[in-house]
Amino acid sequence: MRRRTTMTAAAVVLLGAAAGVAYTMTRSTAETPCAAAAALVTKAQESIRKDASTIVFKAPDGSQPIWLGMTAMADGLTTGSLENVEGEPSPKLVEALYEFSRAAPAAAEDLTDPDGKVQLSLTHISAACP
């Protein structure tokens, strides 16, 4: 009986340690809303630089426009539904992400225009995070 109690206690300790390690690993890989927003801005700018027409009209695999994926990420950030993001975005960041989602480019020129809605929204996202 004593051996069974010792084994049970050891198993509980090991499970607790494993849960602690898993929690620590998950927390260390989670991004802040600002880090995720910065990644979104970088991805958008790189995609625009490579070929703006593919962002709006088609994905390389033909599945959906890349723009839809980027706006889905922005929407996920505002609602807190992205799994790898921990914490709440600031109200200023939420406003900038909504602005980005509503920019709705209809042509490649809408993405590249420095005074256009898309570029301004990317600037506002970057400015929302220190």
Side-chain angles (χ1 to χ4, degrees):
M1 184 73 160
R2 185 176 190 141
R3 183 176 180 182
R4 180 177 286 165
T5 304
T6 304
M7 294 295 284
T8 302
V12 168
V13 168
L14 286 173
L15 285 173
V21 168
Y23 176 74
T24 302
M25 288 177 65
T26 304
R27 274 187 72 84
S28 65
T29 59
E31 293 183 298
T32 65
C34 279
L40 172 65
V41 169
T42 300
K43 178 180 172 56
Q45 289 173 337
E46 286 176 5
S47 296
I48 290 168
R49 211 173 7 258
K50 285 181 183 176
D51 185 5
S53 64
T54 62
I55 296 172
V56 178
F57 302 111
K58 62 182 177 192
D61 64 358
S63 60
Q64 71 172 0
I66 294 170
W67 180 258
L68 292 179
M70 289 188 289
T71 56
M73 182 179 177
D75 292 340
L77 267 170
T78 60
T79 61
S81 63
L82 296 182
E83 290 180 17
N84 65 332
V85 177
E86 187 174 289
E88 296 292 320
S90 69
K92 189 174 179 180
L93 179 56
V94 168
E95 184 179 321
L97 290 166
Y98 278 135
E99 178 187 6
F100 174 77
S101 294
R102 291 188 307 257
E109 294 78 27
D110 295 340
L111 292 162
T112 56
D113 178 10
D115 295 323
K117 291 179 182 179
V118 173
Q119 290 298 323
L120 288 176
S121 68
L122 292 173
T123 301
H124 294 154
I125 291 170
S126 296
C129 293

